[in-house]
Amino acid sequence: MYLGLDLGTSGVKALLIDAGQTVVGSGHGSLDVSRPHPGWSEQDPTHWIQACETAIAELKASHPRQLASVKGIGLSGQMHGATLLDAADKVLRPCILWNDTRSHTEAAALDADPRFRKLTGNIVFPGFTAPKLAWVKNNQPGVFAKVAKVLLPKDFLRLWLTGEHMSEMSDSAGTSWLDVGKRRWSLELLAATSLDERQMPALVEGTAPAGLLRAELASKWGIQSAIPIAGGAGDNAASACGMGTVGAGHAFVSLGTSGVLFAANASYLPNPASAVHTFCHALPDTWHQMGVILSATDSLNWLSEISGKSAGELTAELGEKLKAPTGVSFLPYLSGERTPHNDSAIRGSFTGLAHESSRAVLTQAVLEGVGFAFRDSLEALKKAGTTLTRVTAIGGGSRSRYWLKAIATALQVPVDIPADGDFGAAFGAARLGLIAATGADPLAVCTAPATDTTVEPDAALIGAYADAYHRYRALYPAIRGATA
């Protein structure tokens, strides 16, 4: 058996697979996000450990014999989080999360230094790790002076699991400190934020062992001690491993809290001006590009909260057949936007509202707006040298066929729905745990699932969607001065 642990923003998932990669069982532990000030987003790292313990306990209660047979563990996690530790590995302050935008001034200052784009292949976004450390230095100098180690969220779990300070390439590529082409820390970029390599974790590839499970935890969980824990991956690269999106031309669209349009690449293809992320993949000698929107299902969940209807109830009101855009547009910039705008200050909007704009019309506009945000990412990927002919859908929002039809029509490419199964980040992490434990060929393990069905673009609505996308594109510059 092989165990995947995925530390998400809303919870930790523990997924157990057997040697044939069949999912055996899973457990879950919930997490909350603290937002003490506008634009801030934090979590207490000790809560990650508690949520992981809860997830493992649930798995042990339902599958004790199978859990006892675990021979390898893989890790996945939310990217970019700044987890700051002192010399005794004590947490110095709450982790600043990926969707925290407080460091926009520091990010702009680092991005103005040409070395960052040159070496990382990316814009320095406010959500990345390096500007967060610059913010801590500027605003909490006493904390900054005590920083002995900076760990990404999943690597804080690794420290608890193994006692090791280690990370891997895919997650570290989102810090703004990694030389992404050479797959190593850049001493130059670390020095630009008053840090050095001693404060960073050691690096391995995601498929390689990165520490052994501590005897104390092994005894508590009823499994063998000293089993290898894989380097693992950032959540999107882990999902790509779970989906088999590891070869050039393969792509997926992820409808989660945030939204991702992810394409695997066989070489390093940076184009930071497009606001596309170019990161290392979890597999050696492989990279990936992705466009990121900050509020995907978060946009529908926001509408759900203020309307008093569940997300499922809202989408059910639209029926099965895709409708033409109504003229009401929604910009899903509830917490700023990454691709293609790199704008942490912009905020969302509805436009075109009228007396007849019902709740269903607002829901439709939200689904379309997220679809058009993905279209923005598709266009940015094209500028970065990647053309997609089809994508596979993953994430909680992909349960809505209406939404997938809207996305297919907005992108003008087919959207494949995988056969029943769990192919997300926890599954990808478990695959990486299998590879690290057995030395198996990563490409033989990270295969694509069978396609259950394909959602084609609605040919009759391509023109109407193109017109609506044109309106959508015109709105960002129009509202920027009013909302930013």
Side-chain angles (χ1 to χ4, degrees), residues 146-159:
K146 296 177 182 177
V147 173
K149 277 289 188 290
V150 181
L151 295 182
L152 294 159
K154 79 171 192 321
D155 300 317
F156 180 77
L157 276 188
R158 185 197 317 280
L159 175 62

Side-chain angles (χ1 to χ4, degrees), residues 1 17 99 148 165 173 179 200 202 331 385-386 411 450 455 484:
M1 297 288 162
I17 66 171
N99 54 353
H165 302 103
D179 184 326
M200 296 296 111
L331 301 188
T386 297
L411 298 182
V455 177

Side-chain angles (χ1 to χ4, degrees), residues 155-194:
D155 300 317
F156 180 77
L157 276 188
R158 185 197 317 280
L159 175 62
W160 168 63
L161 292 166
T162 70
E164 302 283 354
H165 302 103
M166 299 186 77
S167 190
E168 46 69 48
M169 307 302 174
S170 69
D171 214 356
S172 298
T175 61
S176 290
W177 289 315
L178 194 77
D179 184 326
V180 174
K182 294 181 179 178
R183 303 172 86 95
R184 67 188 186 199
W185 294 121
S186 166
L187 304 186
E188 215 177 336
L189 300 184
L190 286 167
T193 50
S194 305

Side-chain angles (χ1 to χ4, degrees), residues 2 26 77 154 197 244 246 264 397 410 427 429 444 453 459-460:
Y2 302 92
S26 65
K154 79 171 192 321
E197 195 171 12
V246 294
F427 183 67
T453 187

Side-chain angles (χ1 to χ4, degrees), residues 308-326:
K309 294 287 185 180
S310 71
E313 288 172 326
L314 291 176
T315 55
E317 288 180 341
L318 299 178
E320 296 291 326
K321 185 174 174 55
L322 191 67
K323 295 173 173 60
T326 65

Side-chain angles (χ1 to χ4, degrees), residues 361-387:
V361 166
L362 299 187
T363 301
Q364 181 182 341
V366 167
L367 302 190
E368 291 167 359
V370 172
F372 294 143
F374 280 123
R375 174 66 181 271
D376 274 350
S377 287
L378 180 71
E379 297 302 324
L381 282 171
K382 288 179 184 177
K383 291 179 182 177
T386 297
T387 300

Side-chain angles (χ1 to χ4, degrees), residues 352-359 361:
L353 296 173
H355 288 293
E356 61 270 21
S357 299
S358 65
R359 181 173 61 211
V361 166

